[in-house]
Amino acid sequence: MSTRLIKGRKNIHLAKIENQNNRQVTFSKRRNGVFKKANELAVMSGAEVGIIVCPQGSKPYSFGHPNVNDTINKYIGEERSPSPSSPGIDDKYVLMFRKANSKELNTGLNSLQDQLDFALKLKSKLKQMNKNVKSQQEWFKGPIEKMNYTEASMLKEGLEDLLLKVKNYGTERGYGYENGKWKAE
Amino acid sequence: MSTRLIKGRKNIHLAKIENQNNRQVTFSKRRNGVFKKANELAVMSGAEVGIIVCPQGSKPYSFGHPNVNDTINKYIGEERSPSPSSPGIDDKYVLMFRKANSKELNTGLNSLQDQLDFALKLKSKLKQMNKNVKSQQEWFKGPIEKMNYTEASMLKEGLEDLLLKVKNYGTERGYGYENGKWKAE
DNA sequence: GGACCTATTTATAATTG
DNA sequence: TCAATTATAAATAGGTC
């Protein structure tokens, strides 16, 4: 009674919950939360939404507005005949999916290319601030400190790979993008 | 300023937004929100999640952890086994997708998606810090082929520096990837 | 169209019954 | 196990630039 009880929400890490009971409770709560959000999205924006959740060792849960199967069919139909229009940034998931299904998936390649683009922007900034070495340091420090550990670790993997390519660029003549792969020109 | 500005969130009615612009904005924001929540659900509970969103008159958006196809297939498999016919889903599509997914297509897709997620975040952060650089657009458009040696070297050094900071960031707080699992705290 | 801001509303982790 | 509680963390509607 004298002890201060803390019942409020704690901040969470994006990681699998080890404790089985907590994991089950969180699964149930958050599944409902996702379904609720999806329903709001569907109603408010007028879009069709279908969700499938498959817990390990149990039967799938599903949500659909107005209907899961129709939504899946629309998606499958769309995947069968990709439209030629160029994807925006929000279509990246779909694009990646298509790449995977065209059996041309090279692990990390897409994200590497993206990161390369971002690195080019970094470079741009470096060039702008070229007269000030300190500023360069600050530039790299800035975004990192705002990352969580998951983001940072992911970036680490990608950068190690990217760094190899960039180093090769310096010694070889460069890289082109051909048949889904980076290659020296 | 004589007028008191009200910027805070208003409570919402669960109804379709009539104003087209507002509807589009809300669609974009909330779609991201649902995908984020779904990702958290998948990671924290270890479940597979697939989401398909079909806006009216536009191509579908999708989210999957680890990927949409497998999740759909699991759902279809579940749905089909109890009853001989699965309403709304054609057999040929089922077969096609099962075939497409029977290989190593899953390998790397998860990390790809994660990295893509990260890349988008990184891009956003870089954009924030780059907002006052006007020549940014040109750099972003230009492919790596247009880099000269000096530029590539600058990029290389920058990346090495960045990589170092990322590595340090990962170890300073004891976060890391252990035994195939993310360790929290 | 996108990034940012802020007042609020929501979601929810931990706890209790 | 499940529902209710409550303190916080997150999401977000409406606005600005």
Side-chain angles (χ1 to χ4, degrees):
Chain A
M1 1 182 155
S2 55
T3 307
R4 155 97 169 131
L5 301 178
I6 300 176
K7 298 167 68 177
R9 175 180 188 169
K10 316 294 174 57
N11 61 356
I12 56 157
H13 282 128
L14 187 55
K16 181 169 180 176
I17 299 173
E18 296 301 330
N19 180 283
Q20 177 162 358
N21 186 53
N22 290 347
R23 189 167 66 243
Q24 165 57 33
V25 171
T26 290
F27 172 73
S28 181
K29 284 185 176 181
R30 280 179 173 265
R31 174 168 43 78
N32 287 331
V34 170
F35 285 179
K36 184 182 178 184
K37 287 285 187 183
N39 185 59
E40 292 175 359
L41 172 65
V43 172
M44 297 174 73
S45 68
E48 288 190 20
V49 178
I51 301 184
I52 296 165
V53 179
C54 301
Q56 293 172 328
S58 179
K59 294 173 68 174
Y61 296 75
S62 67
F63 165 88
H65 182 99
N67 171 299
V68 192
N69 283 343
D70 285 350
T71 310
I72 290 177
N73 283 335
K74 279 201 176 182
Y75 178 67
I76 291 175
E78 182 69 22
E79 289 303 313
R80 285 183 68 249
S81 55
S83 115
S85 64
S86 64
I89 233 173
D90 289 333
D91 287 330
K92 291 273 183 152
Y93 285 103
V94 176
L95 181 65
M96 186 172 54
F97 165 84
R98 284 178 182 158
K99 269 203 194 300
N101 278 316
S102 62
K103 304 186 197 302
E104 292 175 3
L105 179 64
N106 292 288
T107 305
L109 195 59
N110 289 321
S111 62
L112 269 182
Q113 189 167 15
D114 282 339
Q115 290 181 13
L116 190 57
D117 281 338
F118 307 146
L120 286 172
K121 296 175 75 177
L122 260 182
K123 179 177 70 82
S124 171
K125 183 61 179 179
L126 277 178
K127 202 173 182 181
Q128 295 288 323
M129 308 179 76
N130 194 23
K131 304 146 193 169
N132 190 335
V133 178
K134 269 186 183 177
S135 297
Q136 290 187 17
Q137 299 294 333
E138 291 306 311
W139 250 94
F140 288 112
K141 217 171 64 177
I144 294 303
E145 287 172 346
K146 292 177 181 173
M147 291 179 193
N148 62 39
Y149 66 96
T150 301
E151 291 172 327
S153 297
M154 286 181 195
L155 176 60
K156 185 175 67 175
E157 295 177 19
L159 284 182
E160 282 168 343
D161 204 343
L162 176 58
L163 189 54
L164 284 178
K165 290 176 169 52
V166 175
K167 280 179 175 173
N168 286 337
Y169 180 90
T171 53
E172 306 291 332
R173 285 188 298 160
Y175 280 88
Y177 196 70
E178 186 174 301
N179 295 330
K181 291 187 178 183
W182 285 99
K183 68 158 203 150
E185 285 181 342
Chain B
M1 304 308 192
S2 54
T3 308
R4 156 88 171 139
L5 301 177
I6 300 177
K7 298 166 70 177
R9 175 180 188 171
K10 317 292 176 58
N11 61 356
I12 58 155
H13 288 130
L14 189 54
K16 180 168 180 176
I17 299 172
E18 294 304 328
N19 180 283
Q20 176 159 359
N21 186 55
N22 290 347
R23 190 167 66 243
Q24 164 57 34
V25 171
T26 289
F27 174 72
S28 183
K29 283 185 177 180
R30 279 180 173 263
R31 174 168 42 77
N32 287 331
V34 170
F35 284 180
K36 184 181 178 185
K37 286 285 186 183
N39 186 58
E40 293 175 358
L41 172 65
V43 171
M44 295 174 75
S45 69
E48 290 189 19
V49 178
I51 301 184
I52 296 164
V53 179
C54 301
Q56 292 172 327
S58 179
K59 291 187 303 178
Y61 297 76
S62 69
F63 165 87
H65 184 101
N67 70 64
V68 193
N69 267 351
D70 282 352
T71 311
I72 291 178
N73 285 336
K74 281 201 176 184
Y75 176 69
I76 292 174
E78 276 291 326
E79 288 299 304
R80 286 181 55 79
S81 50
S83 63
S85 67
S86 182
I89 295 180
D90 292 330
D91 284 348
K92 57 178 179 179
Y93 291 155
V94 176
L95 287 176
M96 181 177 62
F97 271 78
R98 288 221 170 115
K99 217 179 226 176
N101 282 307
S102 61
K103 288 193 173 182
E104 77 287 12
L105 294 177
N106 304 335
T107 310
L109 190 59
N110 186 13
S111 63
L112 241 189
Q113 183 151 340
D114 286 342
Q115 288 183 15
L116 189 58
D117 237 349
F118 161 76
L120 291 175
K121 290 179 187 171
L122 177 60
K123 180 189 174 187
S124 175
K125 282 171 181 167
L126 291 180
K127 259 189 174 177
Q128 288 180 27
M129 309 183 73
N130 234 349
K131 62 193 306 179
N132 55 342
V133 181
K134 295 183 177 178
S135 63
Q136 154 193 343
Q137 296 293 336
E138 298 162 23
W139 280 104
F140 192 46
K141 272 189 297 187
I144 190 172
E145 294 95 58
K146 293 179 181 174
M147 292 174 62
N148 60 35
Y149 179 83
T150 303
E151 290 170 336
S153 297
M154 286 179 58
L155 175 57
K156 187 184 71 175
E157 291 174 9
L159 287 177
E160 281 169 339
D161 192 14
L162 179 57
L163 181 58
L164 195 61
K165 288 183 169 58
V166 172
K167 282 178 175 174
N168 289 337
Y169 183 92
T171 51
E172 275 171 5
R173 306 193 186 179
Y175 295 140
Y177 200 65
E178 289 182 8
N179 300 326
K181 293 181 180 178
W182 282 104
K183 191 82 174 183
E185 288 187 348

